Structures are given as C-alpha cells and as structure tokens.
Amino acid sequence: MPRSTSSSSSKGGPVTLAMVARRAGVSTQTVSNAINSPELLRPETLERVRQAVDEMGYRPSRAAQTLRTRSSKLIGYGIQPAPGGNTAPVMDRFLHALSQAADGAGYRILLFSCPPGGPSLEGYDELLAQHDVDGFVLSNTARQDPRQAWLAKRGVPFVGFGRMWSGRQIGDWVDVDGASGTDAAVEHLVALGHRKIAFLGWPRGSGVGDDRAEGWQRAMRRHELPTRGRRAESAGDVEAARIAVKPLLDAGATAVVAASDTLALGCYHALRERGAAPGRDVAVVGFDDSPTAGILSPSLSTVAQPLEAVGRECVRLLLARMANQDAAPERVLLEPSLVVRDSATAPDSDGPTP
C-alpha cells in the first residue's frame, strides 16, 4: 500500500501547529517562527522545534504560509525543448539538483513551457499574472537574452544558471567555467604526448561554446601548439559532428577535444567509419559527463559540471535576492573537473589510421 505523504497524528487526525508546540515544549508562535523566520530563534530552540517537526511529520499549509508571509514558496523555471527532439541530460540533472536544493529551503519549483529557439519572454508574463511566484531561475542564457533586464525592471527576483554573454551584466548568476574545463583537457592530452590536438565545437556566437573554445585556444597557446586548421564547427547532433570532424582527422589530429559529449560521439562514429578506434588511434575528450559517457566503448573521457553545487548556489543566491533586493549582485563561477576514462590515451607512434 502506498505510503501517504500527508501529515497525521497517531489518532488519525492531522498534525497541528499546537501539537508540534507541545512536543517541543514551546509556544505555537515559536513553532511558527521556526518555519517562517528561523533567524529569530536561538539555535538550540530551533533545533528542538525542527526535531519535533520531523518526528511528527508536520507539513505546514502552503496557503496559510502565503497569507502570513505573502510568499508562495514557489520558484518559476521555464522548460525549453531540446533541439531536434534530442534529450538534454545535463539540464535534467540540473533541474533535479535545483529541485532538491529548493525543497531543502522549503520551496517548490513551478515548471512552465518555453518555446523552442533562443530565450524569449513568452511564459514569464503569463506566469507572473496568474501565479504568485517568488522568483525565477533562468537557464540556457544567451547573447541578447531579454529576460534579465525585463525581470529586473519589474523588480522580480531571479538568478541565472549561465552568464550574460553580451551587454551590461544584470543580476545574479551561477555558471561553470567551461574554458577551465577544456584547458584541463588539453593539459591532460599534452601530458600524454599529444601535440596535434583539435577542437570540435559549436558555431561561433554561442556564449557557452565560445567559452569552451577559448579554454582550448588558451592551453594550446601556452604550449606553443598550432591551432590553425585544428578547429571545426558543428550543429549539436551526432550526425553533424560525424561529418564536421572529418577534416580534422584528415589533417592528422591525434586528439580531439569536443564541446559536448554529443559531439564527441560523432567523433567516435567518424573514427570507426575509417577503421580507426577512439582512444587507441585518436584520443577523444567530451564535455558534460552525460550518462552515456561511462558506458560507451571505449568509455569517454569528459569534463564534468558540478551540477549539484550549481543547484545549491542558484537557490542560495535567489533566496538572498528575495531577502534583499538592493544588495550588490553576486556572480559565482564554479570549476568543472576532468573525468579520465579509456578514450584519452597516449598517441600511437605510427599516427592515426588515414
């Protein structure tokens, strides 16, 4: 029999604020403060009340909380379909991390649909008019993104997962340092003995893509390695990447750093098409550490984003903005980590198979 998620007492009735107060040995106002204004209580009192709340399974009424605090405890988040009907495992993992962090702070994520393509305001105005959300988390930030300025003008708290890639910086954001990730990938390949290291990225103009390309270029310059003819651009799907990487392989690249695991998979297909093996003949490093990276053959070396930390930081910054709209903006840049697997090996002295 499924377990009920509603709060109930041992006698079958709902757990009330007064019952929690009796269990903790405090007043009902103290319990209310513990839920709505915990900063007002001494740490030992707050801990005692929270323990009673947990033991009794008390869940405060969201409607009652809204009336008392003028807070809906809802955070809006727009879901945008992935291009070409592809899955978006990175954003799925981020949403899970965001939901966990929000839940721990007493909030819920309210999802709404956004149209495909670049960022737009569609959905935001309607949500503000029809639902009393406390703020928004923005993702898929891009150049000429209109959302930050629009929300700031209306005094609506928000935080971005992603930097503003052009114009004046507005509001708080959390991002992952993509340039640091691809820089680390090149460093690892150079240490293995590679010198002909190519980059397979997205078309120029993508903020995230350009950032990841910059890390590759920076590391190549530091080691005085040539970059001319070593960069190719691809749409974000496997077939396009398979075609785009061919000139890089024809030019004798012994290693390819890709802007995503999807592009890296296209490189796998191109190598096998010419009778070569990823890892053995040409090293391949992806980006994102998608769920498939570890089960590919060979397993894919890739750059992992700290999505759990991104989710926590987004919630932290948004709650701080809700508490003080006049505070100086805070921007957090998190370091990714290189996950080394079987696809990144030392170069074959005979070179890749033509």
Side-chain angles (χ1 to χ4, degrees):
M1 182 177 180
R3 180 181 176 183
S4 172
T5 58
S6 61
S7 305
S8 60
S9 68
S10 58
K11 295 182 180 180
V15 176
T16 66
L17 200 73
M19 294 165 66
V20 174
R22 285 196 296 273
R23 170 71 71 92
V26 298
S27 68
T28 54
Q29 183 59 53
T30 299
V31 177
S32 179
N33 286 343
I35 295 167
N36 299 306
S37 304
E39 69 278 2
L40 299 178
L41 302 183
R42 293 194 301 272
E44 59 270 20
T45 303
L46 181 60
E47 178 59 33
R48 192 161 75 249
V49 174
R50 284 179 171 171
Q51 184 175 348
V53 167
D54 290 342
E55 289 173 352
M56 301 186 75
Y58 176 65
R59 294 295 180 268
S61 163
R62 186 177 303 280
Q65 281 187 302
T66 300
L67 288 173
R68 286 194 301 270
T69 66
R70 295 189 178 274
S71 169
S72 66
K73 298 293 183 179
L74 294 174
I75 296 170
Y77 180 80
I79 296 284
Q80 192 174 37
N86 297 319
T87 59
V90 173
M91 298 315 297
D92 289 346
R93 286 164 54 199
F94 165 68
L95 180 56
H96 180 72
L98 180 70
S99 300
Q100 280 192 317
D103 186 63
Y107 284 77
R108 294 292 183 270
I109 302 298
L110 179 62
L111 301 178
F112 63 100
S113 177
C114 292
S120 77
L121 298 175
E122 188 173 332
Y124 289 86
D125 198 8
E126 182 180 355
L127 194 67
L128 284 173
Q130 296 183 2
H131 298 274
D132 189 17
V133 295
D134 292 338
F136 288 93
V137 174
L138 313 178
S139 63
N140 296 314
T141 58
R143 301 187 192 278
Q144 282 76 51
D145 195 322
R147 296 173 295 175
Q148 295 90 338
W150 188 87
L151 290 168
K153 183 178 180 180
R154 286 156 181 78
V156 179
F158 70 90
V159 62
F161 171 23
R163 283 161 273 183
M164 292 191 68
W165 296 103
S166 60
R168 181 170 59 95
Q169 294 290 306
I170 302 172
D172 309 299
W173 53 253
V174 182
D175 204 0
V176 176
D177 191 346
S180 175
T182 49
D183 187 312
V186 173
E187 281 293 329
H188 178 69
L189 293 168
V190 168
L192 290 173
H194 291 278
R195 296 297 179 267
K196 299 177 181 179
I197 304 171
F199 182 77
L200 177 61
W202 298 306
R204 288 170 171 83
S206 156
V208 174
D210 291 350
D211 185 46
R212 295 178 184 181
E214 169 57 30
W216 165 77
Q217 290 176 323
R218 184 174 69 199
M220 295 290 281
R221 286 195 299 265
R222 188 167 58 247
H223 290 283
E224 299 182 344
L225 298 176
T227 58
R228 184 180 295 273
R230 299 271 185 231
R231 179 176 177 177
E233 298 178 358
S234 168
D237 64 80
V238 174
E239 178 60 16
R242 180 189 69 81
I243 296 170
V245 78
K246 287 181 178 181
L248 302 179
L249 301 177
D250 292 340
T254 65
V256 177
V257 175
S260 72
D261 289 350
T262 299
L263 299 188
L265 184 56
C267 188
Y268 269 43
H269 286 295
L271 285 166
R272 290 192 170 116
E273 197 174 60
R274 59 182 60 204
R280 186 194 68 198
D281 296 309
V282 175
V284 181
V285 180
F287 203 113
D288 289 333
D289 196 23
S290 59
T292 58
I295 60 176
L296 289 173
S297 179
S299 56
L300 177 64
S301 295
T302 182
V303 178
Q305 302 194 57
L307 295 175
E308 290 74 17
V310 173
R312 289 194 301 270
E313 286 296 291
C314 280
V315 170
R316 180 183 70 82
L317 293 188
L318 183 57
L319 296 186
R321 181 58 53 196
M322 291 175 186
N324 184 1
Q325 292 250 38
D326 296 325
E330 186 173 352
R331 284 99 191 215
V332 178
L333 193 59
L334 298 173
E335 283 289 316
S337 58
L338 180 64
V339 181
V340 177
R341 297 193 178 102
D342 297 337
S343 70
T345 57
D348 188 334
S349 58
D350 295 328
T353 303

